[in-house]
Amino acid sequence: MEITSEDRRSGRFGRARRAVAVVTAAVLAFAGLMAAAPASAADPWIAQQEGGYLRIAVPNAAVEAAVGPVSQVVVEGNFGPSHNWAQIGLQRSGANWTATYGPFEPGLYYYQVTGDDSKVLKDTSNPTSVASEPEWSTFFIPGDSAALLADAPEQAGVIQTLSYDSAVAGEERQALVWVPPTYTPKGKKLPVLYLQHGGGQSYRDWVEVGRAEQILDNLWLAGQLEDMLVVMGNGNVDDFSAELLENIVPAVERTYNVSPSKNHRALAGLSMGGGQAFEVFSEHPGEFDAIGTFGAGRFGDLDAIPVDRMNDRTELFRVYVGNKTDIAYNDVYDSFEKFDARGLDYQFDGVNPDAGHNWNAWQENLIDFAPRLFTGAASDPAMSEGHTALTERFEPPAAGTTPTPWLTEDDFVTFETTTDFADAEYVSVWANWAPGGSWLRVEMNKVGDRWRATVGPLEEKFYHYRLIVDRQSVKDTSNPTKVTSEPAWSTFLVPGEGSRLLADVPQGQGGNLEVMTYQSTVAGQQRNAYVWTPPGYDPDRAEPYPLFVLNHGGGQSWTDWVEVGRARQILDNLSLDGAIEPMVVVMPNGNVSNYPRELLENVVPVTEERYNVSSDPLDRALAGLSAGGARTVSVLKAHPGEFAWIGTFAAGFGGTAGVDAAAINAGTELYRIYTGDITDFTYGSVMSSLPVLDQLGIEYEFDGVTVGPHGWDVWQKNLIDLAPRLFQDPNG
């Protein structure tokens, strides 16, 4: 299947042509923690941190020198779900555009830098290059899961360049050849695997992006690869069959000590190259003993292929495809129906659930295919571990079907806009689906007068997203959900065991959620708070219920813990699990000049008046995220002992002037501290607070680092951990 330049730029293959860095402070304010001196020309723009994190600092001077002044910069590459193309928004911090993201899985990443949607530039601090994509650079994150992609631990094969005359193309051309350590110009003649690139690519891509050299070296050193040459030829030609059989193969056999036997030849290719491999297979059956197609499914008129000769003269035909985001997915399904009807023999490696139409998939395909060749034994037809059967086409609902997004049983989600943006030039979905819950943007494709994108498989959790239409944040009006403090946001849940505590409980089994209206003497206005009461709440119970006050963050509202934080669902599920004490939870409006007064003079008295809650400080808990955590600490400092149970999510301790450590310890049963990882801009503040607390002698618990940024994924986990600890007997 050929991938055109427009395919790549539309996001179906890889290289997106536009990007926008419209970012919220919660996502990108990490620059305030990690801001460093301006990057010099020698400093890497992307620096790997321990654990798969990336610290990005793109010098604005380099951007302006390459493409002129810009207002927005992104790094875009195979960072998204299924390793598909996605965009990391950068924030201007001094002389640099910066971000910290991760943790990313081990593997090879390819990327480019883009300013103002379309101004693409190469990372000049990175010496790697990709001939077919001059703006691309690459980097490798090591790890056990990518061991076969790492540089071999010792010298193995070598990559050589073969030049040959192409009568088909009318020019001298080149191929890359991997030569194993055992090769000699005389002696045993080796078999050959001819390995083809995809559309818009070059003969160098398998080495520069596909890691073919490392894969072959490591397989050979592990004893999993027969001695063979691997030839990566130039497939950009009108008649590939003629190019291969009349030019490439003869040049290889003239230059190297290889077997001329057709039984000692194999042919494979990705995408367009896979289609070319099948073309040779069907037009010249028997010329190659084994055929592999990676992410290809458009094989022409299958009614006319010589099935009997193809079966009789070919030892192995194995087909590979990525998941529902692979543009070849439906083509492969359709081809299988034809194969089966015609009786064509083939093996199927199964649907790769973790990769789309990209190099991550094709690297795995080569790792599976190459060891099957030239062994003298029949190839095991089994699918790779974790791969699944292809049982039906992927067909999203018809255009205009609402509400969106649509979610499949295997956790792929499809977004579709209304027709309001039919004339837009660029539309993307921006959501918390990066590692740890950071934000990444995925480009949408124009389908008729709407825009669509399919993303997945997604982790089982709660998602918030917005559409970006020609650089403007837009609400997905097809999705009825809302976030009051972020009018452009919509939400959805990917259900499953991983998100069980975030899911709605059966109707009638959870607690009750009410809006409490009260007059604020501090703010001088009528205000609202959400109040959650536990299942079976009894306003006349002899023993009053404990009170837990849960605070939102800066720029948020009293609605956020319900609309985005899933506090209701978390509390309902923990209650049904018997994991928490029955309690009343109040989520007030913390946007006020004097929060301790607001809390103690307005929120708590009104709650005590209207609900059956205890006035005993031992039965009171206070927690909050970010600015709400800072407000919580301000109450702890100013009024130690008013709340015996304290939790702070992504908030440091702050100043120590006037702090009465003895009073805090005496009046506090639990002071538990939470933080996100280094992508959380408050991480430094929280971590630097710990030795301060130690020095003051204040007793606390530190939950350790919660993987994730300054965002709701982390804070939901923090609430899930804290709530069961509240109002427990400290003696056990």
Side-chain angles (χ1 to χ4, degrees), residues 309-451:
R309 283 186 291 151
M310 294 167 72
N311 288 341
D312 291 343
R313 300 180 184 182
T314 308
E315 184 66 29
L316 172 66
F317 170 37
R318 192 165 173 89
V319 180
Y320 301 81
V321 74
N323 59 33
K324 288 180 170 69
T325 66
D326 188 339
I327 59 173
Y329 186 88
N330 286 344
D331 294 330
V332 170
Y333 177 83
D334 294 342
S335 294
F336 284 173
E337 287 194 327
K338 284 282 191 178
F339 291 171
D340 294 339
R342 296 295 316 280
L344 180 65
D345 295 336
Y346 65 95
Q347 293 180 4
F348 179 44
D349 189 53
V351 173
N352 184 336
D354 301 320
H357 198 77
N358 51 45
W359 281 105
N360 298 75
W362 305 325
Q363 289 161 354
E364 293 185 25
N365 299 162
L366 178 60
I367 289 169
D368 178 86
F369 185 69
R372 298 173 179 275
L373 304 177
F374 315 124
T375 65
S379 172
D380 181 359
M383 299 178 184
S384 291
E385 183 177 358
H387 289 202
T388 60
L390 179 56
T391 58
E392 61 183 0
R393 290 173 58 89
F394 173 53
E395 301 286 1
T401 304
T402 57
T404 62
W406 306 300
L407 188 65
T408 66
E409 292 183 356
D410 51 352
D411 302 334
F412 289 83
V413 61
T414 298
F415 300 85
E416 181 186 75
T417 70
T418 64
T419 59
D420 295 339
F421 314 120
D423 296 328
E425 293 186 5
Y426 179 72
V427 181
S428 62
V429 186
W430 192 32
N432 61 317
W433 45 43
S438 293
W439 288 66
L440 276 177
R441 291 184 49 198
V442 172
E443 190 174 11
M444 302 183 80
N445 296 311
K446 188 76 174 290
V447 181
D449 56 0
R450 300 172 187 269
W451 295 76

Side-chain angles (χ1 to χ4, degrees), residues 74 89 195 229 296 300 403 467 595 610 688 711:
V74 300
L195 184 62
L229 265 65
L467 303 178
Y595 179 74
R610 300 182 189 177
S688 64

Side-chain angles (χ1 to χ4, degrees), residues 141-412:
I141 296 179
D144 291 344
S145 61
L148 291 177
L149 305 181
D151 290 337
E154 59 185 89
Q155 180 66 41
V158 295
I159 296 291
Q160 299 178 352
T161 299
L162 169 67
S163 296
Y164 62 94
D165 290 325
S166 169
V168 175
E171 62 182 5
E172 184 178 79
R173 312 191 98 189
Q174 285 78 41
L176 294 182
V177 183
W178 180 83
V179 182
T182 51
Y183 172 79
T184 60
K186 297 182 179 180
K188 180 183 177 182
K189 294 182 179 295
L190 298 184
V192 183
L193 164 61
Y194 293 87
L195 184 62
Q196 291 304 123
H197 60 79
Q201 298 176 0
S202 85
Y203 71 97
R204 302 191 62 85
D205 276 62
W206 264 112
V207 168
E208 293 174 343
V209 197
R211 304 291 277 187
E213 180 177 11
Q214 288 83 358
I215 290 170
L216 297 168
D217 282 353
N218 284 299
L219 288 174
W220 189 88
L221 289 170
Q224 298 177 33
L225 190 72
E226 295 296 312
D227 290 338
M228 68 178 79
L229 265 65
V230 180
V231 177
M232 293 157 272
N234 189 337
N236 295 313
V237 64
D238 290 337
D239 188 344
F240 176 73
S241 294
E243 176 75 350
L244 178 65
L245 296 175
E246 298 173 14
N247 296 311
I248 298 176
V249 170
V252 171
E253 294 181 350
R254 284 194 305 270
T255 308
Y256 291 95
N257 184 27
V258 297
S259 172
S261 170
K262 298 174 182 178
N263 292 334
H264 290 158
R265 294 180 191 159
L267 173 63
L270 69 89
S271 196
M272 178 194 78
Q276 292 173 331
F278 187 87
E279 175 186 307
V280 173
F281 176 35
S282 59
E283 293 180 357
H284 304 277
E287 286 290 335
F288 295 86
D289 191 57
I291 301 290
T293 61
F294 307 165
R298 294 181 185 173
F299 300 134
D301 182 8
L302 296 179
D303 291 328
I305 60 174
V307 170
D308 290 342
R309 283 186 291 151
M310 294 167 72
N311 288 341
D312 291 343
R313 300 180 184 182
T314 308
E315 184 66 29
L316 172 66
F317 170 37
R318 192 165 173 89
V319 180
Y320 301 81
V321 74
N323 59 33
K324 288 180 170 69
T325 66
D326 188 339
I327 59 173
Y329 186 88
N330 286 344
D331 294 330
V332 170
Y333 177 83
D334 294 342
S335 294
F336 284 173
E337 287 194 327
K338 284 282 191 178
F339 291 171
D340 294 339
R342 296 295 316 280
L344 180 65
D345 295 336
Y346 65 95
Q347 293 180 4
F348 179 44
D349 189 53
V351 173
N352 184 336
D354 301 320
H357 198 77
N358 51 45
W359 281 105
N360 298 75
W362 305 325
Q363 289 161 354
E364 293 185 25
N365 299 162
L366 178 60
I367 289 169
D368 178 86
F369 185 69
R372 298 173 179 275
L373 304 177
F374 315 124
T375 65
S379 172
D380 181 359
M383 299 178 184
S384 291
E385 183 177 358
H387 289 202
T388 60
L390 179 56
T391 58
E392 61 183 0
R393 290 173 58 89
F394 173 53
E395 301 286 1
T401 304
T402 57
T404 62
W406 306 300
L407 188 65
T408 66
E409 292 183 356
D410 51 352
D411 302 334
F412 289 83

Side-chain angles (χ1 to χ4, degrees), residues 33 43 57 118 146 212 287 317 343 410 472 535 575 606 710 732:
L33 168 64
D43 291 331
S118 59
E287 286 290 335
F317 170 37
D410 51 352
Q472 299 299 314
S575 292
V606 171
H710 200 75

Side-chain angles (χ1 to χ4, degrees), residues 626-701:
S626 194
R631 295 176 186 126
T632 298
V633 171
S634 73
V635 174
L636 177 66
K637 293 175 180 177
H639 304 278
E642 286 290 336
F643 293 81
W645 308 83
I646 299 291
T648 60
F649 311 162
F653 189 74
T656 60
V659 171
D660 188 339
I664 289 175
N665 289 339
T668 307
E669 293 292 332
L670 173 68
Y671 175 20
R672 191 163 172 86
I673 299 171
Y674 300 81
T675 183
D677 59 27
I678 65 170
T679 65
D680 184 339
F681 73 90
T682 64
Y683 172 84
S685 174
V686 174
M687 298 305 292
S688 64
S689 291
L690 303 184
V692 172
L693 292 170
D694 293 336
Q695 204 168 37
L696 291 170
I698 294 176
E699 298 170 0
Y700 66 92
E701 293 180 2

